[in-house]
Amino acid sequence: MANIDLKVNGKSHTVDVDSDCPVLYVLRDNLELNNPRFGCGLAQCGACTVILDGDAVRSCVLPVSSVAGKEVTTLDGLGGGEKLHPVQQAFIDEQVFQCGYCLNGWVMSAKALLDKNPHPTDVDMEKAFRGLICRCGSHVGIYRAVRRAAGMKESV
Amino acid sequence: MASVEKILSRRTFLRNTGGLVIGFGLADVSVLPRMIAQAVTPSGKVVTGNPVPDALTSWLHIEPSGIIRIFTGKTEIGMGVETALMQIVGEELDVALDQVVFVMGDTSKTPDQGGVGGSSSLAMGADPLRNAAAAARSLLLDMASQRLGVPVDQLEVSGGVVHVKGAPSQHVSYGELTKDVPLQGSLVVTGAGSAMSIKGRGKPKAVSSYKLVGQPVPRIDLPLKIAGKWEYVVDVRVPGMLHGRVIRPASVGANLLSIDDAPARSIRGYVKTVVINNFVGVVAENEWAAIKAMRAIKVNWSEPQQLFPEQAKIYDYMRQATPKASMEFLKVGNFEAGMQSATKKVEATYEFPFQSHGTMGPGCAVADVQPDGVTTVWCGTQKPHAMQIGIADLLKVARDKVRVIWTEDSGSYGRAGFEDAAGDAILLSRAVGKPVRVQWMRADMTRWGSKGPAVMVDMTAGLDQQGKVTAFRFTSRAFSGVETNFLPVMAGNFLGSQLAGIPNTNVRDEYAAWGHETAAYPFPNVIANGHVVAALYPNASPLRTTHLRDPEGPAATYATESFIDEMAAAAGMDPIAFRLSNLEDARTKAVIRAAAEKFGWDPRTSPKKKVANPEVVKGRGIAIGDRGGTRVATIVEVEVARKTGAVRVSRIVCAHDCGLIVNPSSLKGTIEANLIQSTSRSLMEEVMFDRNNVTSVDWLSYPVLRAANLPDKVEVVLLNHPEFPSTGAGEPSSRPMVAAICNAIFDATGARVRQGPFTPVRVKAAMASS
Ligand code: FES
Ligand code: FES
């Protein structure tokens, strides 16, 4: 048990949790932030993705102690809370997703990818999305949205 | 760029109009129309019972602001049906979509419409809403006529405002009309559940006058979901809520011998271990404590009561098992005589495995069982009203003490198991006297969720010199699609109940039927029959079977449509020409032609002539499906690596006719996703098991399609037929995919893969033996 300082979406929090507790449960249960969701708890699906210091990571296997002092961003914090991030807008414009339960992983991973690589090829996307699942099969729309966000018309 | 505020604004103002307590932790929930009705009321004040379908007020309520609240027993499972139903209602009432708010699947607030399933939400479920809206419009016009002193035929409506034709300044809004006199009317109800139909005064509009139905309206839910402002059932938080996890037996039918929960008791936040026969669960104050306790508890289980057959021999087992039930689907002419007149005989058996729903969220529900039996359950079930009855049976209370509040979960694609998670939550909440949220771990869904049944089909056909079919025989064997009934109306329906000792008496026989799960080619001299194979273990089996998207359809159609291709090859005909010459249905022929045209199909026989000996060979294949009147033709192009047997689907073209299209953009999205999901089912999905248990437990042991396996191109051709009623679109495009891929592999390699899924091992073996 420990008091751990967290910075999430620009706000500081101190939580009293086990230091081995995965970040996912701290965000959901202590901070009531919903978008990182439980899908597998095994780093196999991406439903729990958050952005940590610029990287899309799986919060379900990340002990809370390892993020102390780092900057955590969740989906609803992407646009700073007030606005939509352009990547979110691209997904809305393309009308992507069926149930949307997976979308946290895809939108966050797309955002992290585009920050580092504004014009990703299909191979770049495949690499960035390797760890993600969409059970409904919304992939075609997802790729369209990422290309739209990157200002690309065609797959390259 | 739209701000979050702007997206949410029209919903936000609805926050204060519902007049209900908002019970969730987050203020954001109030922007969700469906959640407004999903309020937590203090115990004892839960409004239960079910709204009666013969009162207009059960379906529709107009608020002074002009907002029209629609109450429907249908639910959204991710395919955009809410938006489509809003268009249908908006059309009848002549209101804009942002004036309509839906309340879905709350048993206290919505009439029982049988839930969703069978691609029937628009085909059948729209009827009561359309007629209720038409009845309301007619009543409102009468009221307006009195108020404005003008006969009804001189009135018109737009945006929910009635005005005098040619004199738009004389107007009155729906909200003003009903401010003091609430809209009331009675309706005539026929049928029940998903087949319920209602009639009131006022006829629905003629299809030819539709302005809103048929438009590619953006889905109402997606902006909120993508903005991160949606709440799924996993996000429900009830005051005082505890967290539960379950511990399942080590093997099929294993009995609990002893349990040691001492190591869990020292975990901070631990509350209680709950044991009812073989049902084991643990409750804690937070999720992490519940997970740690679940892992710490040691259960000593007996050996399995019965062993599963060896997986490698499952189809031998199915063939040899004495059928639990048998049925003749069709008998036409004389099969034997037809075979005698044939010059060629074709014979084959096709086999398709158990598959998992493997929902993205593994299953979650919140239950609040009060000491007086008043119970509220939040669950993503497709069948909230049926589940209300099953939960009441489990708790031995009257139905009207139970309120099921449907709350969206991940896409369920049938009876995935969300109901079972709710059953677990009920047992745990009853044991601790507090609301409990149960979150299944991944294996609780992948290993323990009900499965899509394994299916095998034997077929024999005769062909004459012209390539015409002279006789056809079809014999299917399948585990029942309803070992777990999709309608959870009995206590024994839930997995937790079965573990607790309540037998599953809610079972039905469901076949893989010719003409129902397959296209009905009008062949002469047909015998088609089928058998149901008895459940491998009667209660709480991890291989119990149930509805998975288009139950038995992809498997049975894999058999028939691949076999049709075998017949075409035997007849020396192009697969499309062969189908067209053996089919009569004009709409089926039209989807075939539309797909062929889009694909650029060049007529020739399969397999493709080998020109060289490349490492990767390409081929194309077609298959068709007809589910509930929706016709689909799918053509795929595959690349097969000859050394490894690895198959990649590189292109998919799907032509789709579901009658009148309500929303082409959301329809296209659903079909595209279905094509990808069914590609996954065709290429890699197979539940693995050993003699003791299912061994598919996660996304590594039950792999599904990922970014690396995507086709280069997916094209959907929509054939709109406003002259025919809308039939369903949730399932039909899953149906032809397995066969289309099988046929394309044959075209590429000359090898016929008669057992799915098409893993490299199977494809390589088929190539070696061809
Ligand atoms: S929940 Fe973290 S990767 Fe699946
Ligand atoms: S949209 Fe349902 S899991 Fe991706």
Side-chain angles (χ1 to χ4, degrees), chain A residues 51-130:
Chain A
I51 294 178
L52 181 68
D53 287 347
D55 291 321
V57 299
R58 311 294 174 238
S59 69
C60 68
V61 291
L62 200 65
V64 64
S65 54
S66 70
V67 305
K70 295 186 184 166
E71 187 73 43
V72 176
T73 308
T74 67
L75 179 67
D76 47 334
L78 268 197
E82 297 298 311
K83 284 199 177 325
L84 286 173
H85 189 275
V87 173
Q88 287 171 302
Q89 189 62 51
F91 276 88
I92 292 173
D93 292 342
E94 287 291 346
Q95 287 282 295
V96 190
F97 300 112
Q98 293 287 287
C99 70
Y101 193 94
C102 65
L103 72 79
N104 177 63
W106 294 95
V107 177
M108 299 289 275
S109 300
K111 196 272 179 189
L113 167 68
L114 292 172
D115 280 351
K116 290 178 193 155
N117 179 354
H119 301 287
T121 63
D122 285 1
V123 175
D124 297 333
M125 286 195 242
E126 188 186 308
K127 260 193 215 146
F129 300 150
R130 186 172 282 163

Side-chain angles (χ1 to χ4, degrees), chain A residues 97-103 106 133-138, chain B residues 360 410-411 413:
Chain A
F97 300 112
Q98 293 287 287
C99 70
Y101 193 94
C102 65
L103 72 79
W106 294 95
I133 281 177
C134 170
R135 181 50 168 152
C136 298
S138 304
Chain B
M360 188 73 201
S410 54
Y413 302 109

Side-chain angles (χ1 to χ4, degrees), chain B residues 243-485:
Chain B
H243 291 268
R245 289 295 184 280
V246 290
I247 300 169
R248 301 303 194 200
S251 57
V252 53
N255 285 317
L256 184 141
L257 300 176
S258 63
I259 182 164
D260 174 15
D261 66 353
R265 288 165 188 265
S266 57
I267 291 166
R268 187 174 78 153
Y270 166 89
V271 174
K272 192 178 171 117
T273 308
V274 179
V275 180
I276 314 168
N277 290 321
N278 295 318
F279 174 84
V280 183
V282 61
V283 180
E285 283 165 9
N286 61 68
E287 289 202 83
W288 186 233
I291 292 170
K292 289 217 285 197
M294 170 193 81
R295 289 177 180 155
I297 292 171
K298 293 190 180 68
V299 187
N300 185 12
W301 297 100
S302 75
E303 290 299 303
Q305 294 291 299
Q306 189 173 317
L307 294 176
F308 285 142
E310 262 180 70
Q311 180 163 14
K313 295 186 183 152
I314 185 68
Y315 300 108
D316 296 338
Y317 172 90
M318 290 169 69
R319 184 179 296 287
Q320 283 150 19
T322 309
K324 175 169 182 278
S326 300
M327 187 187 237
E328 184 176 274
F329 310 125
L330 183 69
K331 188 163 186 191
V332 176
N334 183 331
F335 172 75
E336 306 298 338
M339 284 308 292
Q340 268 154 30
S341 70
T343 54
K344 263 188 196 138
K345 182 178 167 185
V346 189
E347 206 161 14
T349 297
Y350 283 83
E351 297 160 342
F352 204 66
F354 295 102
Q355 293 191 324
S356 168
H357 298 74
T359 51
M360 188 73 201
C364 179
V366 179
D368 182 7
V369 183
Q370 299 287 334
D372 56 3
V374 172
T375 295
T376 312
V377 190
W378 291 259
C379 177
T381 177
Q382 293 182 198
K383 311 284 181 187
H385 291 81
M387 201 173 96
Q388 180 191 24
I389 302 173
I391 298 282
D393 189 30
L394 174 59
L395 290 171
K396 301 266 172 287
V397 298
R399 178 181 182 178
D400 65 4
K401 286 209 166 177
V402 177
R403 178 180 181 190
V404 176
I405 301 176
W406 167 80
T407 313
E408 189 166 352
D409 203 322
S410 54
S412 40
Y413 302 109
R415 170 58 191 266
F418 301 155
E419 298 77 3
D420 301 307
D424 293 338
I426 290 282
L427 294 177
L428 295 180
S429 172
R430 186 178 63 180
V432 297
K434 296 237 171 79
V436 174
R437 172 186 184 273
V438 168
Q439 167 71 66
W440 275 2
M441 304 303 281
R442 174 45 51 193
D444 295 326
M445 165 57 66
T446 305
R447 166 177 270 171
W448 281 101
S450 300
K451 307 294 187 292
V455 174
M456 64 189 292
V457 185
D458 300 328
M459 285 159 297
T460 306
L463 297 168
D464 67 14
Q465 224 112 41
Q466 284 74 48
K468 278 271 173 198
V469 178
T470 61
F472 176 70
R473 186 171 62 200
F474 170 103
T475 311
S476 68
R477 288 178 178 80
F479 292 93
S480 170
V482 199
E483 282 181 18
T484 297
N485 199 317

